[in-house]
Amino acid sequence: VTVRRNGGTQFVGAGYHVAPSGHADEAALSLLLRILVDAPSGRLHKALVESKLATKVQFDTVSNLEPGYTIFGAVVPKDLALDATQDAMLKVLENLKSQPITDAEVARARTAINKQIELATNDTAQLTIALTESMAAGDWRLFFLNRDRIEKTDAAAVQAAAIKYLKPTNRTLARFIPTDTVDRTEVPS
């Protein structure tokens, strides 16, 4: 999908269908997201931000009781070619067979997630939000179950999840292109 509206920056996003939050793949997907997006070590960060193809990379994941999706996105200045950023992003996301996930990346991602979990358990408001999100996924105990699953998930499991979910046949691509003159069609009600 391509959206053309007023704006100052471009955006390209790749969305992938993923398993529900309670599924065993959730731990591997959580680690994978960190490996790809976290700054400064994330693969997308290195490929897009450090190479000046984007000013920011991000992800958003929506998965609860039912299957959901994860969107990887890149914010691109108006004066840069969006196609180059899109191609580089898809190469990182969908070429993980030839660039396997490493044990070091999993360890780094696990440390980041564990820190986030520890901060949440020490802050009543954050813990309440985390438990509420787990309830929306089917059971408040998923917060603790996924924490335990992350501890046991290795690079092979993360690699398997990457191959399973991050592929062109499971992708929806979105682009936002800012324009000064919006050409809208008035559809009668």
Side-chain angles (χ1 to χ4, degrees):
V1 63
T2 300
V3 176
R4 290 178 178 82
R5 296 287 184 265
N6 292 329
T9 56
Q10 303 177 94
F11 179 84
V12 60
Y16 298 88
H17 299 277
V18 294
S21 296
H23 192 275
D25 286 347
E26 175 66 19
L29 288 168
S30 295
L31 290 162
L32 179 63
L33 293 173
R34 294 283 184 167
I35 290 166
L36 292 170
V37 178
D38 275 2
S41 62
R43 291 184 181 196
L44 281 175
H45 180 83
K46 287 182 179 295
L48 302 180
V49 177
E50 289 183 10
S51 67
K52 308 284 189 227
L53 290 172
T55 56
K56 178 182 177 184
V57 293
Q58 61 195 45
F59 73 88
D60 187 26
T61 187
V62 177
S63 178
N64 287 310
L65 187 59
E66 301 295 327
Y69 57 87
T70 293
I71 299 175
F72 297 93
V75 177
V76 182
K78 208 174 190 178
D79 59 334
L80 291 180
L82 194 57
D83 289 337
T85 304
Q86 176 182 310
D87 292 344
M89 178 169 44
L90 294 178
K91 183 178 177 185
V92 170
L93 294 172
E94 296 173 3
N95 199 22
L96 290 167
K97 275 187 181 179
S98 64
Q99 301 291 324
I101 301 298
T102 66
D103 291 330
E105 288 175 315
V106 172
R108 191 169 38 251
R110 183 180 293 118
T111 299
I113 291 172
N114 285 340
K115 181 179 179 182
Q116 186 179 13
I117 290 169
E118 184 178 333
L119 290 172
T121 57
N122 290 324
D123 181 323
T124 307
Q126 285 187 29
L127 181 59
T128 302
I129 290 168
L131 293 175
T132 302
E133 288 175 356
S134 293
M135 286 175 57
D139 191 334
W140 63 270
R141 295 172 292 186
L142 284 173
F143 176 81
F144 302 102
L145 178 63
N146 284 333
R147 175 198 62 192
D148 296 344
R149 285 177 175 167
I150 285 169
E151 281 302 313
K152 297 174 185 172
T153 303
D154 61 7
V158 176
Q159 180 71 24
I163 302 295
K164 180 177 180 179
Y165 294 105
L166 301 184
K167 57 186 176 181
T169 57
N170 190 40
R171 172 189 5 114
T172 301
L173 193 63
R175 298 163 57 120
F176 173 77
I177 301 173
T179 182
D180 294 330
T181 55
V182 178
D183 182 16
R184 294 187 185 183
T185 300
E186 294 296 324
V187 178
S189 58

